[in-house]
Amino acid sequence: MRSIKFDFNNAMVKMASHGFSGEELDSPLLGKAHERMSSKHMGFRKLPLGQESIVQDIIKTAGEIRKKFNCFVVLGIGGSALGPIAVQQALARDSSMELIVLDNVDPETMKRTFDKLDIEKTMFNVITKSGKTSETMAQLMTAANMIAKKGFKIKEHVIATTDEKNGNLALIAQKEGLKTFIIPSDVGGRFSELSPVGLLPAAVCGIDIKSMLEGAAYMDKLCSENEKNPASVFALLHVLGMNKGMNVSVMIPYSDSLKYISDWYAQLWAESLGKRVDNKGNEVFAGQTPVKALGATDQHSQVQLYTEGPFDKISTFIKVERFRQEMHIPKAFEYVDDIAFLSGKTFSELINAECAATQYALTVAGRPNLEIALETVDAYSIGALLYFFEMAVSYAGEMMDINTFDQPGVEQGKLATFALMGKPGFEQQKEKMNSLPPKDEKWIMG
Amino acid sequence: MRSIKFDFNNAMVKMASHGFSGEELDSPLLGKAHERMSSKHMGFRKLPLGQESIVQDIIKTAGEIRKKFNCFVVLGIGGSALGPIAVQQALARDSSMELIVLDNVDPETMKRTFDKLDIEKTMFNVITKSGKTSETMAQLMTAANMIAKKGFKIKEHVIATTDEKNGNLALIAQKEGLKTFIIPSDVGGRFSELSPVGLLPAAVCGIDIKSMLEGAAYMDKLCSENEKNPASVFALLHVLGMNKGMNVSVMIPYSDSLKYISDWYAQLWAESLGKRVDNKGNEVFAGQTPVKALGATDQHSQVQLYTEGPFDKISTFIKVERFRQEMHIPKAFEYVDDIAFLSGKTFSELINAECAATQYALTVAGRPNLEIALETVDAYSIGALLYFFEMAVSYAGEMMDINTFDQPGVEQGKLATFALMGKPGFEQQKEKMNSLPPKDEKWIMG
């Protein structure tokens, strides 16, 4: 079953002058990375096939939720939010369940959202491994307070997705008797979409999560068989690109349903590869900046830069071969010859022509670009696509000899937030922050 | 009235090791660019004060629309869409009017949207200067067909915003007797938000467009008085940054209401500065890639890269000092000491602490970052903010000696789309496209 086609012709120098040669593709990096991928333990790789009883529990729980509730609110941020959002946008076509993902703490949004919630018909799913994330815990406190105030029971309106034993949320879940799903300790946030983090919200939205996992399993198999596989080649082209100054990776799906796949990819690519040190401890300041775009829309905002600006990008188009809905462009204004060619065509033809035209424009301007074609958008192809990127970023991390799976750079900001919010034990951090040079008034204007 | 405060302390080497020195700020580029800005005709600069009768017409028209309709559908893409979306997200707080911006031609979205429209209660606003944009014209044809089929009159359900005389849409507007607003010929799409392109949708959403224009006028005055002003310094820091390899400009507002200001900025910055040649015709492949982010959300997806990755970014935080709604974090789960510090704080405090913490983290990691603080989000401050960026990009273009206002690189893709869609007269273009080397099967996988 070929759910995804990866075409990198337009990244080769034969097509795009700033592309890559066949010899470069024969890089020893490919074999080395494949060997490491085969031997290293990577938690996310056991998700496609290792969760049978968990999946049964999720499907059963989701069924009960769908009977009692019409609103499912995810409290989570980063890896706990981007996967659920991306998958819902791609696959949920069932308007009987509203999914709200609260992945920010904007007071205006919080107020507006909580004001309109009908608690009786609302189930919250709080997702955080440690229970230390200030944003998510503040939201949980708000939800719990509201549930109690309205006379409902917390354990009937909150499901926890968290660490098996440790952390604030595990403790709360135990004390309150919450239904709990486990985030495996060896699966990081940005790799957790195929764990209960993503599977529960997806199942609640009526998405076929077994099929998602089958798509992922297919991709795992495809990438295990040969060192030259779609994920390893995608990785290699990006790593070779970085070495040539392509520090930007553009992701541009041509389908509204895939818009938030770009956001999910942006976290995966940025957090996994953006690293100060390599595995030997050398300072490398590595990383490639993901840019989210959407076709055809962003042709009218970004393509000027992509075709004429610096040669600092490698772009990935995601194309859908068969849309789930179709619409014809009718006859109208027949006195205008200049638009008559549109009549009788379909919107699928138009959006895919826009995609092909932009690929062409980038290619003749010498810009390497890749294409991932999905036969159609369904649970299987989305499972395969997400897993493809997880494999690709893991390959890239091995090629770059960095730790793909940590995020030490996020700590500093978290500590600073604790200090600014007056958390006990962070007084020293606060002092450290206060010892920065004072602001210079002449560098403030307006 | 100080609606915007621009603080660039954290971009200076005194604070961030990879920042700029006071001497660099005394660049002669500043004076030169200011001189050119004072003498060059730039169409967008007459918008804040030069539209009195147009604004009256817009307000009157919007009032009539608000009486008869509850849904306003913008058909437009790029500069015709991003401004209306950004301003609506920032300012519209009136749920009696639904604004739909159709800025893509995804068949699934088109079908879903058109299926649910109640034509009787819907006014379309088609926005395109030339009337050649395939996406927008295909949507207009669809809308016109549907209006007629349901037995309504096109001229009672479509308003055109287009060129005064030329182009397909001007012709249609004349033939069909459509109410028409003019896009000034010297104002390009990405600079058109303060023209009828943006003002009509805003007024229909109940936004105070006079106040928006006053904010813009204030900013124009502020920037005219002195060569060192917020816009020129913002531009200079970015241009100096580009010269040091900072080819990425991150825009990260800490407010959901400002989320799409980043998208609007991304077009403005990318299309204006991404240029193959300078004003003398030298190939320069200039440009800086805008990256849209949202705080606090993207701390959990991008900040790892921003603090530890390459020194290739200059980041702009947009902070809101006073939110329009507030919410307190209540007491809950008092047996968990580790989260007790959150109780009693507000969500405003939390999101602004997250902002300050991330600014601190970037600064101590040596990364230059800027802050734009809005006293509050209102029509005046948004008008000022949009105009600030329009001035800043114009300054940057003058410093880089490029044409800020054209977009020659978009042509290639448009021609290719015409060719692929079988538009008469584009047969040669099609042949040219077919003469590319054939695709190599070994570079297709999956």
Side-chain angles (χ1 to χ4, degrees):
Chain A
M1 188 164 177
R2 188 181 203 179
S3 61
I4 286 185
K5 207 171 66 184
F6 174 53
D7 180 346
F8 53 100
N9 273 277
N10 289 346
M12 305 302 285
V13 70
K14 187 180 162 191
M15 307 293 276
S17 60
H18 282 66
F20 307 94
S21 67
E23 295 74 53
E24 285 177 282
L25 266 198
D26 291 329
S27 163
L29 281 174
L30 215 50
K32 253 186 245 172
H34 190 67
E35 207 181 289
R36 289 198 196 175
M37 290 284 292
S38 311
S39 58
K40 243 187 199 175
H41 172 80
M42 294 183 178
F44 77 93
R45 296 196 65 178
K46 72 186 176 203
L47 297 175
L49 293 173
Q51 300 187 92
E52 268 172 50
S53 64
I54 297 164
V55 166
Q56 276 183 356
D57 188 8
I58 289 173
I59 290 174
K60 184 169 156 271
T61 306
E64 287 160 10
I65 292 168
R66 287 169 63 84
K67 265 184 228 149
K68 284 191 215 154
F69 305 98
N70 60 23
C71 182
F72 191 75
V73 181
V74 170
L75 308 178
I77 195 164
S80 308
L82 292 166
I85 292 170
V87 167
Q88 193 252 0
Q89 171 83 2
L91 298 173
R93 288 297 175 267
D94 166 9
S95 57
S96 67
M97 178 62 70
E98 185 183 8
L99 177 75
I100 297 174
V101 179
L102 278 179
D103 65 347
N104 205 357
V105 284
D106 181 296
E108 297 174 4
T109 306
M110 286 293 294
K111 180 92 169 67
R112 194 169 53 241
T113 306
F114 275 89
D115 275 358
K116 75 167 189 196
L117 284 182
D118 173 4
I119 294 293
E120 190 177 354
K121 302 295 282 176
T122 299
M123 174 60 91
F124 293 91
N125 180 200
V126 53
I127 309 177
T128 157
K129 201 189 263 185
S130 65
K132 275 191 185 302
T133 311
S134 298
E135 295 93 330
T136 304
M137 295 315 281
Q139 291 172 336
L140 175 63
M141 291 159 82
T142 306
N145 184 265
M146 193 177 204
I147 293 165
K149 256 194 187 158
K150 302 249 170 177
F152 297 98
K153 287 186 184 141
I154 291 174
K155 73 173 182 179
E156 285 168 13
H157 290 270
V158 178
I159 291 175
T161 306
T162 190
D163 188 74
E164 188 168 7
K165 287 180 240 163
N166 300 316
N168 297 327
L169 184 53
L171 173 61
I172 290 171
Q174 197 199 348
K175 280 257 192 186
E176 305 288 337
L178 305 184
K179 169 75 185 168
T180 303
F181 288 96
I182 306 302
I183 312 176
S185 57
D186 56 357
V187 175
R190 58 190 177 273
F191 288 89
S192 69
E193 175 52 25
L194 298 173
S195 83
V197 168
L199 295 179
L200 179 62
V204 168
C205 289
I207 292 163
D208 180 354
I209 60 171
K210 279 188 181 170
S211 186
M212 273 178 69
L213 292 170
E214 281 166 20
Y218 152 83
M219 186 53 66
D220 190 86
K221 188 160 174 289
L222 182 71
C223 296
S224 303
E225 288 167 351
N226 197 317
E227 70 176 47
K228 249 190 195 170
N229 60 63
S232 67
V233 173
F234 183 94
L236 179 63
L237 291 167
H238 281 76
V239 172
L240 293 173
M242 279 183 233
N243 296 339
K244 292 185 183 188
M246 294 172 199
N247 62 336
V248 173
S249 161
V250 177
M251 184 59 56
I252 180 162
Y254 270 70
S255 159
D256 288 343
S257 73
L258 304 179
K259 177 172 180 182
Y260 297 107
I261 298 285
S262 297
D263 290 58
W264 175 86
Y265 170 81
Q267 179 189 22
L268 186 74
W269 208 252
E271 261 193 344
S272 299
L273 304 182
K275 296 290 151 75
R276 186 177 65 84
V277 294
D278 67 12
N279 285 326
K280 295 183 195 70
N282 305 313
E283 278 204 333
V284 288
F285 300 108
Q288 193 175 39
T289 301
V291 167
K292 327 173 244 194
L294 175 69
T297 306
D298 283 322
Q299 290 174 209
H300 301 262
S301 76
Q302 299 302 307
V303 166
Q304 168 67 33
L305 174 70
Y306 298 175
T307 54
E308 293 211 341
F311 292 86
D312 56 5
K313 292 175 187 64
I314 176 165
S315 301
T316 302
F317 291 82
I318 310 182
K319 197 179 91 176
V320 175
E321 288 176 352
R322 185 167 39 81
F323 284 86
R324 289 161 292 185
Q325 302 269 1
E326 188 52 280
M327 218 169 155
H328 282 77
I329 304 171
K331 281 194 177 154
F333 313 116
E334 293 181 57
Y335 49 87
V336 188
D337 291 342
D338 200 48
I339 58 172
F341 72 101
L342 291 166
S343 297
K345 304 291 194 324
T346 65
F347 277 96
S348 294
E349 284 176 272
L350 179 56
I351 196 168
N352 282 336
E354 300 277 357
C355 181
T358 305
Q359 291 172 318
Y360 172 76
L362 259 66
T363 305
V364 296
R367 319 291 167 137
N369 60 94
L370 315 171
E371 177 183 290
I372 298 168
L374 303 190
E375 202 182 297
T376 192
V377 175
D378 59 20
Y380 188 92
S381 66
I382 292 298
L385 182 67
L386 298 177
Y387 201 83
F388 165 76
F389 287 127
E390 291 177 358
M391 289 295 285
V393 82
S394 304
Y395 271 109
E398 295 308 322
M399 291 173 189
M400 295 161 71
D401 196 23
I402 55 162
N403 185 341
T404 313
F405 302 102
D406 67 354
Q407 52 282 330
V410 179
E411 265 323 280
Q412 185 68 264
K414 280 191 185 173
L415 302 182
T417 300
F418 290 150
L420 290 170
M421 292 294 281
K423 184 170 179 173
F426 291 83
E427 296 76 11
Q428 259 193 315
Q429 173 73 30
K430 182 114 194 227
E431 267 175 50
K432 213 172 101 190
M433 293 173 72
N434 286 338
S435 70
L436 282 186
K439 289 212 169 181
D440 196 325
E441 273 301 318
K442 75 170 182 286
W443 294 335
I444 301 178
M445 309 175 96
Chain B
M1 189 165 176
R2 187 181 205 179
S3 61
I4 287 185
K5 207 172 63 184
F6 174 53
D7 180 345
F8 53 99
N9 273 277
N10 289 346
M12 306 303 286
V13 70
K14 187 178 162 192
M15 308 293 276
S17 59
H18 283 66
F20 307 93
S21 67
E23 295 73 53
E24 285 177 283
L25 266 198
D26 290 330
S27 163
L29 282 174
L30 216 50
K32 253 187 246 172
H34 190 68
E35 208 182 291
R36 289 198 196 176
M37 290 284 293
S38 311
S39 59
K40 243 188 200 174
H41 172 80
M42 293 182 178
F44 77 93
R45 296 196 65 180
K46 71 186 174 202
L47 297 175
L49 292 174
Q51 299 188 92
E52 268 171 54
S53 64
I54 297 165
V55 166
Q56 274 182 358
D57 189 8
I58 289 173
I59 290 174
K60 184 169 156 271
T61 307
E64 287 160 11
I65 292 168
R66 287 169 64 83
K67 264 185 228 147
K68 284 191 215 152
F69 304 98
N70 61 23
C71 183
F72 191 75
V73 181
V74 170
L75 308 177
I77 195 164
S80 308
L82 292 167
I85 293 170
V87 167
Q88 192 252 0
Q89 171 83 2
L91 298 174
R93 288 296 176 268
D94 167 7
S95 58
S96 67
M97 178 62 69
E98 185 184 8
L99 176 74
I100 297 175
V101 179
L102 278 179
D103 66 347
N104 204 358
V105 284
D106 181 297
E108 297 175 3
T109 306
M110 286 293 294
K111 180 92 169 69
R112 194 168 54 242
T113 306
F114 275 89
D115 276 356
K116 75 168 188 194
L117 284 182
D118 174 3
I119 294 293
E120 190 177 353
K121 303 294 283 175
T122 299
M123 174 60 91
F124 293 91
N125 181 200
V126 53
I127 309 177
T128 158
K129 201 189 264 184
S130 66
K132 275 191 185 301
T133 311
S134 298
E135 294 93 329
T136 304
M137 295 315 281
Q139 290 172 337
L140 175 62
M141 291 159 82
T142 306
N145 184 265
M146 194 177 204
I147 293 165
K149 257 195 188 157
K150 303 249 169 176
F152 296 99
K153 286 184 185 142
I154 290 175
K155 72 173 182 181
E156 285 168 12
H157 290 270
V158 179
I159 292 176
T161 306
T162 189
D163 189 73
E164 188 168 7
K165 287 180 240 161
N166 299 316
N168 297 327
L169 184 54
L171 173 61
I172 290 171
Q174 197 199 349
K175 279 257 192 188
E176 306 287 337
L178 305 184
K179 169 76 185 168
T180 303
F181 288 97
I182 307 302
I183 311 177
S185 58
D186 56 356
V187 174
R190 58 190 177 274
F191 288 89
S192 69
E193 176 53 24
L194 298 173
S195 83
V197 168
L199 295 179
L200 178 62
V204 168
C205 290
I207 293 163
D208 180 354
I209 60 171
K210 281 188 181 170
S211 187
M212 273 178 70
L213 292 170
E214 281 165 21
Y218 153 83
M219 186 54 66
D220 190 86
K221 188 159 174 291
L222 182 70
C223 296
S224 303
E225 288 168 351
N226 197 317
E227 70 176 47
K228 249 188 195 171
N229 61 62
S232 67
V233 173
F234 182 94
L236 179 63
L237 291 167
H238 281 76
V239 172
L240 293 173
M242 279 183 233
N243 297 340
K244 292 186 183 187
M246 295 172 198
N247 62 337
V248 174
S249 161
V250 177
M251 184 58 57
I252 179 163
Y254 270 70
S255 159
D256 288 343
S257 73
L258 303 178
K259 178 172 180 182
Y260 297 108
I261 297 285
S262 298
D263 290 58
W264 174 85
Y265 169 82
Q267 179 190 22
L268 187 74
W269 208 252
E271 262 193 344
S272 300
L273 305 182
K275 296 289 150 74
R276 187 176 64 84
V277 294
D278 66 12
N279 285 326
K280 296 182 195 71
N282 305 312
E283 277 204 335
V284 288
F285 301 108
Q288 193 174 39
T289 301
V291 167
K292 327 173 244 195
L294 176 69
T297 307
D298 283 322
Q299 290 175 210
H300 301 262
S301 75
Q302 300 302 307
V303 166
Q304 167 67 32
L305 173 70
Y306 298 175
T307 55
E308 293 211 340
F311 292 86
D312 57 4
K313 292 175 186 65
I314 175 164
S315 302
T316 301
F317 291 82
I318 310 181
K319 197 178 92 176
V320 176
E321 288 175 352
R322 185 168 40 80
F323 284 86
R324 289 162 291 185
Q325 301 269 1
E326 188 52 280
M327 217 170 156
H328 281 78
I329 305 171
K331 280 195 179 155
F333 313 117
E334 294 182 58
Y335 49 87
V336 187
D337 290 343
D338 200 48
I339 58 172
F341 72 100
L342 291 165
S343 297
K345 304 290 193 325
T346 65
F347 277 96
S348 295
E349 284 177 272
L350 179 55
I351 195 168
N352 281 336
E354 300 277 356
C355 181
T358 304
Q359 291 172 319
Y360 172 76
L362 259 65
T363 305
V364 297
R367 319 290 168 138
N369 60 94
L370 316 171
E371 177 183 291
I372 297 168
L374 304 190
E375 203 181 296
T376 193
V377 175
D378 59 20
Y380 188 91
S381 66
I382 292 298
L385 182 67
L386 298 177
Y387 200 83
F388 165 76
F389 287 127
E390 290 177 358
M391 289 295 285
V393 83
S394 305
Y395 272 109
E398 295 308 320
M399 292 173 188
M400 295 161 71
D401 196 22
I402 55 162
N403 185 340
T404 313
F405 303 102
D406 67 355
Q407 52 280 331
V410 180
E411 264 324 279
Q412 185 67 263
K414 280 191 184 172
L415 301 182
T417 300
F418 290 150
L420 290 170
M421 291 294 281
K423 184 169 179 173
F426 291 83
E427 295 77 10
Q428 258 193 314
Q429 173 74 29
K430 182 114 195 227
E431 267 175 50
K432 213 173 101 190
M433 293 173 73
N434 287 338
S435 69
L436 282 185
K439 289 212 169 182
D440 196 325
E441 273 301 318
K442 74 169 183 286
W443 293 336
I444 301 178
M445 310 176 95

